[in-house]
Amino acid sequence: MPLHRVVALLTAPQSPFELACASEVFDTAPQDAPPRYSFRVCAARPGPVSTSAGYAVLVEAGLSALQEADTVVVPGWQPPGALVPPGVTEALRGAHRRGARIVAICTGAFVLAQAGLLDGRRATTHWRSAARFAAAFPEVEVDPDVLFVDHGDVATSAGTGAGIDLCLHLVRSDHGAAYAAQIARRMVLPPHREGSQLQYAAQPAPARADESLAPLLDWATSHLDTRLTLNHLAERAGLSSRTLARRFTEQLGTSPGQWVLGQRLDAARILLEQTDLPVEAIATRVGLASAVNLRRRFRRHLGTTPGAYRRAFGETG
């Protein structure tokens, strides 16, 4: 399998943490697994690139690196409204025309917008910069609430944590859920958060230990083959249905039903990748009742069929 070439494009001043997040996801293979990506860093002018942390990053490659990239990542940068050099925007447009996937983390969305890659499309950025982004680029449909937006050829994310979510989402799209889960496990992260989840919890104060959903979530993920309605989950947690739904919104930014469905689809993806079980058996095992229901959910949420997904990512063939 040829390595997927990922190039991080730095602009100055650079947010080093977003660069590190992209590097951690794409540049380190899971233990006992071959690397699937090659990762390098470039800048408009090779040499020291200043960062918002007060130190410089030494970059050896120039914009010519974008000519061979399969994915270009633009990490967050400050200040968001600063003018991007014309050479950078032209290099991004050229990479996009050639078929590269262009990805922005956090305020990197400002760079993509200046390049014209978000015109007429939905995009997101860090919630603190969303109003400025919308005012500066009225031709972009700004969604300030979601974690990330992926159009296939262009993708944007909210803040740093959402940038990791987006990078893991791209790995899932490229190489399947099991490989992405290995990377997330190495990073000690949840393997998957839907891009439509809220950027931040509405809860004004941290949850007390006795309010954490973690025990319930652990139990539910090991009982996907059972009924997991809101009422069943609430009974298990010893809460009213209304209280449990509120805590899901506060702590996870989603509803219990959407969370459960996401877990079931994740489990189905891994079974399709790692086993030769029939689709009907997989549907039963993950609590989706029937092959018809699994196919319908796959088509709606993943844009493909279980059979096509297995042919793309199956490890048992």
Side-chain angles (χ1 to χ4, degrees):
M1 177 183 296
L3 292 177
H4 185 112
R5 297 163 297 183
V6 179
V7 174
L9 170 61
L10 301 193
T11 54
Q14 177 63 46
S15 297
F17 194 29
E18 281 86 359
L19 171 63
C21 292
S23 174
E24 186 73 9
V25 172
F26 294 117
D27 198 30
T28 306
Q31 187 175 11
D32 301 324
R36 307 286 179 89
Y37 297 93
S38 66
F39 184 85
R40 65 188 305 198
V41 179
C42 78
R45 294 182 179 179
V49 175
S50 63
T51 73
S52 58
Y55 59 83
V57 176
L58 183 60
V59 180
E60 297 181 351
L63 293 176
S64 60
L66 271 60
Q67 298 173 9
E68 298 180 351
D70 299 307
T71 294
V72 178
V73 178
V74 182
W77 66 307
Q78 298 294 332
L83 186 65
V84 180
V88 172
T89 54
E90 181 52 42
L92 284 171
R93 287 191 291 265
H96 182 257
R97 286 193 298 268
R98 186 179 49 76
R101 179 173 58 191
I102 313 298
V103 178
I105 297 177
C106 193
T107 51
F110 283 78
V111 181
L112 271 59
Q114 288 194 41
L117 300 179
L118 301 177
D119 290 355
R121 311 181 90 171
R122 192 167 68 95
T124 194
T125 189
H126 194 287
W127 61 268
R128 290 189 302 180
S129 300
R132 178 188 296 182
F133 188 75
F137 305 103
E139 64 277 16
V140 180
E141 181 187 346
V142 181
D143 190 336
D145 296 324
V146 298
L147 294 178
F148 59 82
V149 177
D150 179 18
H151 293 287
D153 62 324
V154 174
T156 53
S157 83
T160 302
I164 298 175
D165 291 321
L166 173 56
C167 290
L168 288 172
H169 161 79
L170 297 176
V171 172
R172 287 161 59 88
S173 299
D174 294 339
H175 299 294
Y179 187 79
Q182 287 181 284
I183 295 175
R185 191 176 304 117
R186 175 176 52 78
M187 297 176 69
V188 196
L189 290 170
H192 183 212
R193 289 199 299 170
E194 288 287 348
S196 58
Q197 285 186 213
L198 296 176
Q199 286 195 24
Y200 57 93
Q203 189 171 334
R208 300 195 308 266
D210 61 351
E211 292 181 345
S212 172
L213 290 174
L216 177 65
L217 303 184
D218 289 342
W219 176 84
T221 53
S222 63
H223 292 80
L224 293 176
D225 59 338
T226 66
R227 290 196 69 191
L228 296 176
T229 65
L230 174 58
N231 289 337
H232 284 95
L233 291 172
E235 182 178 358
R236 174 75 187 185
L239 301 169
S240 69
S241 298
R242 178 178 296 181
T243 298
L244 182 63
R246 175 174 54 80
R247 290 191 184 174
F248 262 82
T249 299
E250 292 172 345
Q251 297 182 32
L252 300 178
T254 191
S255 68
Q258 287 301 308
W259 181 85
V260 169
L261 177 59
Q263 299 305 305
R264 284 175 165 156
L265 289 174
D266 278 351
R269 290 170 75 161
I270 291 175
L271 288 172
L272 288 166
E273 293 170 25
Q274 298 184 334
T275 76
D276 57 3
L277 286 171
V279 173
E280 187 74 41
I282 290 175
T284 300
R285 186 171 294 194
V286 302
L288 288 175
S290 68
V292 172
N293 190 32
L294 176 58
R295 291 189 182 99
R296 180 169 61 86
R297 299 289 190 178
F298 244 69
R299 174 68 70 182
R300 179 176 179 182
H301 292 272
L302 304 176
T304 188
T305 64
Y309 186 88
R310 172 171 271 166
R311 287 191 293 273
F313 299 115
E315 300 174 0
T316 61

